């Protein structure tokens, strides 16, 4: 296993099915300047549609590779509401629930969070540390 795959494997939620997709799109971490840019490329950024007086609810932009979003969706669902709910992401999920977010919005937020964490780990070369979630959750 190469160094990039080892770093990504240290992230809870990235397993055998999702890790190759994330690795294929993020490569060595130098492809994107930030996690925000990686999330934008993956189509996990909010998009608001407005026309005149009408304003729809925000949704994800869905620009970029659908395969990457598909690879992250099921693990995010399991870590948000399934058997892995009691994980390092629990405070993040609970905070979003307390703010009244819908279940699907929370799942997409967790997908985005994991992708930005993956980008940061690849760029820094350091393995996942659950303590780094402390400030944002």
């Amino acid at each position: 296993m190469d160094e990039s795959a080892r770093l990504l494997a240290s992230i809870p939620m990235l397993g055998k099915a999702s890790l190759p997709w994330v690795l294929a799109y993020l490569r060595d971490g130098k492809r994107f300047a930030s996690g925000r840019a990686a999330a934008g490329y993956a189509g996990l950024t909010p998009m608001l549609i407005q026309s005149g007086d009408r304003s729809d609810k925000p949704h994800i932009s869905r620009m970029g590779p659908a395969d990457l979003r598909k690879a992250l969706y099921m693990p995010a669902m399991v870590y948000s509401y399934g058997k892995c709910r009691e994980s390092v992401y629990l405070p993040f999920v609970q905070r979003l629930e307390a703010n009244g977010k819908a279940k699907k919005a929370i799942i997409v937020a967790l997908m985005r969070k994991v992708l930005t964490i993956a980008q940061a780990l690849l760029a820094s070369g350091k393995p996942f540390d659950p303590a780094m979630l402390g400030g944002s959750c």
Side-chain angles (χ1 to χ4, degrees):
M1 185 183 295
D2 73 333
E3 182 65 18
S4 296
R6 188 186 61 75
L7 287 171
L8 292 179
S10 71
I11 302 172
M13 200 178 104
L14 291 184
K16 293 178 185 176
S18 55
L19 190 137
W21 289 103
V22 174
L23 187 58
Y25 285 105
L26 295 183
R27 299 184 189 146
D28 61 355
K30 296 177 183 154
R31 182 175 184 187
F32 301 104
S34 65
R36 184 178 188 175
Y41 172 78
L44 295 171
T45 53
M47 182 175 179
L48 182 62
I49 305 291
Q50 293 179 327
S51 176
D53 294 337
R54 192 195 79 194
S55 180
D56 293 340
K57 289 191 325 185
H59 60 278
I60 61 171
S61 65
R62 291 190 294 265
M63 301 178 87
D67 294 334
L68 181 56
R69 291 190 301 276
K70 288 177 188 176
L72 291 172
Y73 183 80
M74 193 57 69
M77 193 167 68
V78 170
Y79 273 81
S80 298
Y81 296 103
K83 67 179 183 174
C84 297
R85 181 170 165 82
E86 300 293 326
S87 69
V88 295
Y89 305 117
L90 183 62
F92 177 71
V93 171
Q94 287 176 332
R95 180 173 54 94
L96 294 177
E97 286 174 336
N99 288 339
K101 298 293 182 187
K103 285 185 177 186
K104 217 170 232 188
I106 293 171
I107 292 168
V108 171
L110 186 55
M111 290 166 57
R112 178 187 168 107
K113 185 168 199 72
V114 168
L115 193 64
T116 58
I117 289 170
Q119 171 63 27
L121 294 186
L122 290 172
S124 71
K126 297 177 183 174
F128 180 77
D129 179 14
M132 69 186 203
L133 292 177
S136 61
C137 294

